[in-house]
Amino acid sequence: MHKLLATDYMALAIAQAQRGGPATYTNPQVGAVLVKAGQVIASGYHQRFGGDHAEVATLKQVTAAMAQGATLYVTLEPCSHFGKTPPCCRRVVAAGIKKVVIGQLDPHPIVAGRGRDYLQQHGVQVETGCLTTQVEALNPHYNWFYRQQRPWITLKAAVTIDGKLNAQAQQRSLISNQASYLDSQQLRSQSQAILIGAHTLAVDDPALTVRLQALAHPPVRLVLATTSQVAVGKQLVKPSDVPTYLLCRQATANDAIVTAAPNVHVLIDDWTPAKISAWCAKQGWQSLLVEGGSQVQAEFVAAGLVDEVILYLAPMLFGGQALPLVQGVATAKPLQFQAPRLTQLGDNVKLQWQRKVDA
């Protein structure tokens, strides 16, 4: 019989972590596996924001005698602070765990090695760095947020072969197929905030909701506009459980009209991509999906605040004076991206580029 290695157990913990999905919200996806005498005796994961962490969910499945002397494989460093739950590192020590193998140290400054240190100070053997690359891929937005102190910003659009968004001004063009639509809904579910501009609001009147699944924490909806006039009568300012923020550069009498609906807010400032990014970071939102339109996209590109580009490419040409992707603001220098990932979605193609780290 093949003897399992540490990497095999960590791979099982990664698979557990992936079960959490968007339900963990601003908490990371974390999985754990408890091993004794070469056998997996329990496994668990962080199921939802505010719920048991993976270590606790796993230890609850075994008796005190079973946990004594076992090895715990966990994708992320056990927490060391009192938050919505008590510190996991203390629970691990109290359970008599002999060894903890950690996939990744927690970049959150409130942890940042303190969980590892607590375990070692209380006689637990600790190993770090097991399948770290695969583990970090579980929570790219979480890791980026706490390392860079700002949200991961994705620019997303559906475009034609010639890079056009709309065939005619003031008229929405249907470009994507059903497979791309479903995929873009999944993308929304993985985002904590969605941003559009005034033109997109006026022409498309989008709801900016995740319609494929019920989320406990759906992405908040942001609109960048000169004034709130553009929002009057639109879907985004109707009563909803999902917050909408109108980021306006000027105050008007319309502000009182649109904010009459619950969860609709008007914030006045000379909004720039940098200010929007900083404000999102202050709210604790780790990912921002910029869905449009062309002018807003151009502003974020010019500011250098694009970490990822996702395009749904449709097999059609608009030509002529059709609205192109990213138009309106000059860029000081081109943003450089890595080679794309390509996904076939029926007759559409999904292209994903991530920013070069040294760009």
Side-chain angles (χ1 to χ4, degrees), residues 162-184:
D162 52 342
K164 302 298 176 64
L165 300 174
N166 283 321
Q168 300 178 34
Q170 305 305 319
Q171 181 176 322
R172 182 185 182 189
S173 298
L174 295 178
I175 295 176
S176 298
N177 64 13
Q178 182 67 9
S180 289
Y181 166 77
L182 295 175
D183 191 89
S184 66

Side-chain angles (χ1 to χ4, degrees), residues 23 69 80 91 102 116 145 176 197 201 209 212-213 219 221 224 228 233 246 274 279 284-285 310 328 330:
S80 56
R91 181 69 178 267
I102 298 170
R116 172 202 57 195
F145 183 83
S176 298
L201 178 61
T209 54
L212 300 183
Q213 55 184 310
R221 305 172 300 187
L224 178 60
S228 62
L246 303 176
W279 177 72
W285 301 328
I310 297 180

Side-chain angles (χ1 to χ4, degrees), residues 46-355:
H46 181 44
Q47 296 186 22
R48 59 178 178 81
F49 180 74
D52 286 340
H53 289 188
E55 302 92 326
V56 173
T58 301
L59 288 171
K60 281 184 174 181
Q61 300 174 35
V62 297
T63 64
M66 293 170 66
Q68 189 74 33
T71 297
L72 179 69
Y73 292 83
V74 61
T75 56
L76 189 68
E77 173 187 10
C79 66
S80 56
H81 63 288
F82 286 90
K84 291 181 173 59
T85 60
C88 289
C89 61
R90 297 191 182 190
R91 181 69 178 267
V92 170
V93 169
I97 301 298
K98 177 181 68 175
K99 179 179 178 181
V100 175
V101 180
I102 298 170
Q104 175 200 340
L105 293 180
D106 194 336
H108 196 308
I110 206 167
V111 184
R114 294 180 180 86
R116 172 202 57 195
D117 295 347
Y118 183 92
L119 294 173
Q120 291 176 328
Q121 292 163 4
H122 289 79
V124 179
Q125 182 183 350
V126 177
E127 289 185 10
T128 59
C130 183
L131 294 186
T132 300
T133 299
Q134 295 90 322
V135 168
E136 292 208 350
L138 287 168
N139 303 290
H141 298 161
Y142 176 87
N143 291 327
W144 174 269
F145 183 83
Y146 286 110
R147 289 169 180 163
Q148 304 297 327
Q149 303 302 307
R150 71 166 178 84
W152 176 269
I153 300 174
T154 300
L155 187 155
K156 167 257 179 182
V159 298
T160 61
I161 295 171
D162 52 342
K164 302 298 176 64
L165 300 174
N166 283 321
Q168 300 178 34
Q170 305 305 319
Q171 181 176 322
R172 182 185 182 189
S173 298
L174 295 178
I175 295 176
S176 298
N177 64 13
Q178 182 67 9
S180 289
Y181 166 77
L182 295 175
D183 191 89
S184 66
Q185 285 286 303
Q186 182 66 22
L187 178 63
R188 279 185 181 177
S189 75
Q190 298 165 354
S191 306
Q192 291 167 11
I194 302 174
L195 172 70
I196 62 170
H199 182 77
T200 299
L201 178 61
V203 175
D204 295 356
D205 189 16
L208 299 184
T209 54
V210 179
R211 294 181 279 278
L212 300 183
Q213 55 184 310
L215 298 176
H217 303 279
V220 299
R221 305 172 300 187
L222 314 178
V223 180
L224 178 60
T226 301
T227 73
S228 62
Q229 169 64 41
V230 69
V232 175
K234 299 299 184 182
Q235 293 189 75
L236 290 183
V237 296
K238 292 180 179 179
S240 172
D241 293 333
V242 183
T244 295
Y245 294 88
L246 303 176
L247 309 181
C248 298
R249 290 165 173 147
Q250 297 174 20
T252 72
N254 296 304
D255 298 348
I257 298 173
V258 296
T259 55
N263 279 328
V264 178
H265 313 273
V266 174
L267 304 180
I268 307 299
D269 203 338
D270 56 337
W271 291 104
T272 64
K275 284 191 174 183
I276 293 171
S277 174
W279 177 72
C280 287
K282 188 175 181 179
Q283 312 311 309
W285 301 328
Q286 298 162 9
S287 53
L288 173 63
L289 180 63
V290 180
E291 289 205 1
S294 186
Q295 171 76 25
V296 173
Q297 294 163 350
E299 290 186 28
F300 275 83
V301 171
L305 288 172
V306 178
D307 305 303
E308 183 177 26
V309 175
I310 297 180
L311 299 182
Y312 295 95
L313 185 64
M316 60 179 70
L317 293 167
F318 283 166
Q321 299 301 310
L323 181 67
L325 179 74
V326 187
Q327 183 187 50
V329 181
T331 303
K333 67 175 183 177
L335 304 187
Q336 301 293 325
F337 291 82
Q338 300 173 16
R341 285 192 293 159
L342 185 151
T343 305
Q344 193 75 38
L345 296 171
D347 64 356
N348 284 196
V349 174
K350 178 184 180 183
L351 295 167
Q352 297 174 263
W353 294 267
Q354 288 193 1
R355 186 89 175 269

